Amino acid sequence: MELGDYLPFLGALVGGPICLWLFRMASRLGVIYQLYHKVEAQSPRYGGELVAEVLQAHKVRFLFTLVGGHISPILVACEKLGIRVVDTRHEATAVFAADAVARLSGTIGVAAVTAGPGLTNTVTAIKNAQMAESPVLLIGGSSATLLQGRGALQDIDQLSLLKPLCKFCASVRTVREIVPVLRKAVSVAQSGTPGPVFVEFPIDVLYPYHLVQKELSPKGSPKDTLGKIINWYLQNHLNNLFAGAWEPQVVSPLPVHIPQASSQQVQKSCELLIQAKKPILVLGSQVTLPPTPVEKLRTALETLRIPCFLGGMARGMLGRDCPFHIRQNRREALKDADLVILAGTVCDFRLSYGRILSRRSKIIAVNRDRNQLLKNSDMFWKPTIAIQGDAGAFLLKLSELLEGYLCPQTWIQQLKEGDIRKEDANRKKSGEKMEQHLNPLKVLHHVEDALAEDSLIIVDGGDFVGSAAYILRPRGPLSWLDPGAFGTLGVGGGFALGAKLCRPESEVWIIYGDGSLGYSIAEFDTFTRHKTPVIAVVGNDACWSQISREQVPIFGSNVACNLGYCDYHVIAEGFGGKGFLLTWKEECKMSDIIKEAQQECKKGNATLINVLIGKTNFREGSISV
């Protein structure tokens, strides 16, 4: 057989892979897609409008931001659709505010920041949201799709930075991808264990066609072949960005998946509870998550009447004076209990990694996240029943099956008597005179007495806030916001902003340490501009006391711990707020000054009370690491 006889066969063999390669390249460049979906080059629409439509469909009411050219189309489009755009003085504050909205509203919290440093400024706040299990959508601008990695302004690899912190990360590459990517991001943020998600928007998918074309089009017509190829590539890229961009798409929310306890697990838990003589419930933030309404959960807890310790967002769940809410002596109570239900509570540093639990106790652990559910169970504790499911829904089912259950009253009485003794001792401690300035415990008791029934408490600090946790009593469910397990300083301004927007009729209090106040005092400008009056109480001891109380006895040095008795009230007034100074000279007028601050808040003025406090040994022995 001659060589010519093989040519058709060889042509087919070579032509097949080449055709396949060409098809794949054409698909990757969007050439095939453009055959079936048109480019509306004359349309005035822009990608930012699609972002706003998806947010509106997901009932987003607030978008927190610090403005930047990369994200301007999103901000303008949101404003046009009635989504309130709230700009802050720092990007971290924008994310903290979105975090607070997510916790208080049960919906997604949203923040939008510009590229590069705008995004890197959010890293701490996003990590805090991850550890606090808050569903936050972070929208980030970025350089144009063709300029990434080429030295464009504020261009960095943002996805690599955020992937360890977020449940989902994506970069939108064409306008048509905006809707499906955003819908998926919101669903992922709220499913399973909630957490932050990140979507990156290159600038050329947000602006209108004619503006992107102006930036992409070359000046003049090339004469050489290479120039013509480059021209074709740029025009094809532009067309692919906008092909099918304005075709109708579904923008409504995707389903949210939440794990649930099985009926067998609930039944077995009921049996253990009936047998128990000294049961205890330890509730964490997860019990406040949707879909279980907090008021319905509160009713279930009042039906069960099991002694409860509340932590995180669960503080306030049972109101101010519930007879089976135990606030003090948790370590001793857990050692004495024969059954402990950890409902959304994790055996991390907050429970001494599980060492605080008695090995004699039966333990029922319920958590949406398997890693958190079993944290340190291989070392210091072991669950009798481990349930990967929603803690709030589990408690509802438990109360339904245990109708008529009665917890041993002697056990409740024993714990409550210990509570009363400890709180009496704390009250007595607040009467001690300081060598100079005011007793911080006395200040906090005055704040506690002044809190309105609809008050919402934000805590941001170390030593002063640690004392406040023993004294201040949240009045109802979802009325206490703290950073969570990450222990982040600087949450105060953002949390208060989000809280006041969610509950404009409520008093929002920030309990600040003088160290933590430095992170967000500039947000008094934000409170003033956006008419969100809050009341800040600053425990000013001119020191990072949380650190100093350990560092000095161990190492004999107070290096880097000293601050100054700064005029924070004056700074607040400089940002448009109202400031008060409270020193030992005004001790007899303390209640009057607090009431005056409340009145100023009602008039619409963000208010700061700068309280000069002395040193106390109230929290001696508390660790800060």
Side-chain angles (χ1 to χ4, degrees):
M1 187 178 285
E2 299 294 330
L3 179 61
D5 296 330
Y6 289 98
L7 289 179
F9 173 73
L10 291 172
L13 189 65
V14 174
I18 290 175
C19 287
L20 182 62
W21 179 82
L22 288 173
F23 179 81
R24 285 176 177 169
M25 285 300 297
S27 296
R28 184 176 298 177
L29 294 171
V31 175
I32 304 299
Y33 186 86
Q34 292 173 52
L35 295 175
Y36 301 96
H37 303 271
K38 68 177 188 174
V39 177
E40 299 179 42
Q42 303 307 314
S43 175
R45 297 200 65 190
Y46 53 96
E49 293 176 324
L50 295 179
V51 176
E53 288 172 12
V54 174
L55 297 182
Q56 183 186 52
H58 287 74
K59 302 190 184 322
V60 171
R61 296 169 55 206
F62 310 108
L63 174 69
F64 300 96
T65 189
L66 198 157
V67 71
H70 291 89
I71 56 170
S72 288
I74 295 174
L75 308 184
V76 172
C78 284
E79 182 188 40
K80 287 180 178 178
L81 287 186
I83 296 171
R84 184 169 174 180
V85 177
V86 184
D87 60 305
T88 64
R89 298 300 295 265
H90 196 286
E91 288 88 353
T93 298
V95 176
F96 287 135
D99 185 340
V101 167
R103 299 190 199 192
L104 294 175
S105 69
T107 58
I108 191 85
V110 185
V113 299
T114 198
L119 186 89
T120 58
N121 277 346
T122 70
V123 167
T124 297
I126 285 293
K127 181 62 183 181
N128 192 78
Q130 181 194 45
M131 294 190 67
E133 299 174 351
S134 294
V136 171
L137 167 62
L138 177 63
I139 292 171
S142 79
S143 52
T145 50
L146 283 180
L147 295 179
Q148 291 180 352
R150 296 178 180 272
L153 175 67
Q154 299 179 331
D155 180 36
I156 60 170
D157 182 0
Q158 300 183 149
L159 292 184
S160 294
L161 187 68
L162 270 296
K163 277 179 180 176
L165 310 178
C166 294
K167 295 181 67 181
F168 172 83
C169 288
S171 180
V172 173
R173 312 311 292 175
T174 63
V175 179
R176 62 183 175 269
E177 293 176 25
I178 291 175
V179 171
V181 169
L182 271 180
R183 291 176 76 213
K184 181 178 180 181
V186 175
S187 174
V188 171
Q190 296 175 303
S191 292
T193 306
V197 293
F198 171 62
V199 181
E200 174 187 82
F201 289 91
I203 196 168
D204 47 351
V205 304
L206 294 177
Y207 279 78
Y209 182 96
H210 69 278
L211 289 179
V212 180
Q213 182 185 41
K214 185 179 178 181
E215 293 297 318
L216 273 179
S217 297
K219 307 296 184 281
S221 300
K223 307 264 187 238
D224 59 316
T225 304
L226 179 59
K228 291 178 180 178
I229 291 173
I230 292 173
N231 259 16
W232 175 88
Y233 177 82
L234 292 175
Q235 185 60 47
N236 178 75
H237 181 79
L238 174 64
N239 289 341
N240 186 47
L241 280 173
F242 287 88
W246 315 123
E247 295 174 4
Q249 294 191 68
V250 177
V251 295
S252 58
L254 292 168
V256 172
H257 171 69
I258 298 170
Q260 299 290 343
S262 69
S263 55
Q264 292 88 347
Q265 289 171 325
V266 177
Q267 182 61 45
K268 179 63 176 174
S269 300
C270 285
E271 292 169 7
L272 290 180
L273 187 54
I274 290 169
Q275 296 166 12
K277 305 296 183 191
K278 296 181 177 181
I280 281 179
L281 261 173
V282 186
L283 274 62
S285 296
Q286 270 194 19
V287 299
T288 66
L289 293 173
T292 306
V294 288
E295 290 296 344
K296 198 170 181 180
L297 178 59
R298 179 177 181 170
T299 301
L301 295 172
E302 289 171 346
T303 299
L304 289 169
R305 297 184 68 82
I306 301 169
C308 290
F309 285 95
L310 307 176
M313 286 294 295
R315 288 176 183 264
M317 178 65 69
L318 294 168
R320 185 181 185 183
D321 296 309
C322 175
F324 53 90
H325 173 206
I326 313 301
R327 292 168 48 85
Q328 312 290 344
N329 307 312
R330 187 178 66 171
R331 177 180 294 272
E332 294 79 3
L334 288 174
K335 285 294 184 186
D336 201 17
D338 59 2
L339 174 68
V340 177
I341 300 177
L342 302 176
T345 302
V346 184
C347 285
D348 55 15
F349 70 94
R350 291 167 292 184
L351 286 181
S352 297
Y353 310 98
R355 287 176 293 195
I356 197 174
L357 301 171
S358 171
R359 293 191 178 275
R360 301 186 306 274
S361 301
K362 299 278 196 306
I363 300 171
I364 301 168
V366 191
N367 200 292
R368 292 193 188 188
D369 186 285
R370 182 164 181 80
N371 290 330
Q372 300 286 54
L373 173 68
L374 300 174
K375 191 173 286 290
N376 297 310
S377 63
D378 55 338
M379 296 179 65
F380 301 118
W381 71 288
K382 189 174 182 63
T384 309
I385 305 175
I387 302 169
Q388 185 177 359
D390 179 60
F394 166 79
L395 292 172
L396 286 188
K397 293 174 185 174
L398 206 63
S399 69
E400 289 167 3
L401 286 178
L402 287 171
E403 189 175 353
Y405 166 80
L406 188 63
C407 180
Q409 294 304 295
T410 52
W411 172 234
I412 299 175
Q413 187 177 351
Q414 175 188 333
L415 295 175
K416 205 63 182 177
E417 286 172 355
D419 237 25
I420 293 168
R421 285 193 299 272
K422 187 70 174 283
E423 291 187 357
D424 285 346
N426 292 345
R427 176 72 73 169
K428 186 177 180 181
K429 195 86 175 168
S430 71
E432 295 177 359
K433 287 288 184 182
M434 300 286 98
E435 289 184 14
Q436 60 175 344
H437 305 306
L438 293 168
N439 186 320
L441 303 182
K442 185 172 186 177
V443 173
L444 290 166
H445 276 294
H446 275 270
V447 172
E448 162 63 19
D449 293 339
L451 289 174
E453 284 305 308
D454 66 346
S455 293
L456 207 156
I457 305 167
I458 316 292
V459 291
D460 183 10
D463 199 64
F464 188 60
V465 165
S467 298
Y470 285 91
I471 295 167
L472 301 184
R473 300 188 182 196
R475 296 336 195 213
L478 297 179
S479 57
W480 172 282
L481 274 79
D482 60 31
F486 203 31
T488 309
L489 293 182
V491 302
F495 276 13
L497 178 64
K500 189 63 178 178
L501 288 168
C502 285
R503 297 189 191 166
E505 302 306 317
S506 297
E507 278 188 356
V508 174
W509 294 72
I510 318 173
I511 308 302
Y512 273 122
D514 56 332
S516 62
L517 174 66
Y519 287 86
S520 65
I521 194 168
E523 301 305 339
F524 269 78
D525 168 65
T526 307
F527 299 145
T528 300
R529 287 185 296 106
H530 289 283
K531 296 179 173 55
T532 49
V534 303
I535 306 170
V537 178
V538 185
N540 185 355
D541 60 0
C543 185
W544 295 93
S545 293
Q546 179 94 336
I547 309 304
S548 178
R549 72 166 63 250
E550 297 297 323
Q551 182 173 303
V552 172
I554 295 173
F555 296 107
S557 171
N558 209 35
V559 62
C561 294
N562 289 320
L563 295 169
Y565 287 105
C566 299
D567 290 335
Y568 298 117
H569 54 293
V570 177
I571 298 171
E573 294 207 346
F575 282 118
K578 183 71 177 174
F580 295 89
L581 177 63
L582 183 53
T583 72
W584 65 270
K585 296 178 183 178
E586 294 85 23
E587 184 169 7
C588 62
K589 298 187 292 185
M590 195 183 304
S591 294
D592 294 333
I593 289 174
I594 292 173
K595 287 176 183 176
E596 190 177 348
Q598 289 175 296
Q599 289 303 315
E600 287 293 336
C601 187
K602 286 176 183 176
K603 293 177 186 176
N605 298 317
T607 306
L608 184 147
I609 309 173
N610 184 17
V611 187
L612 304 192
I613 58 173
K615 307 293 184 183
T616 173
N617 62 358
F618 177 62
R619 299 182 63 244
E620 202 167 75
S622 63
I623 61 169
S624 54
V625 291

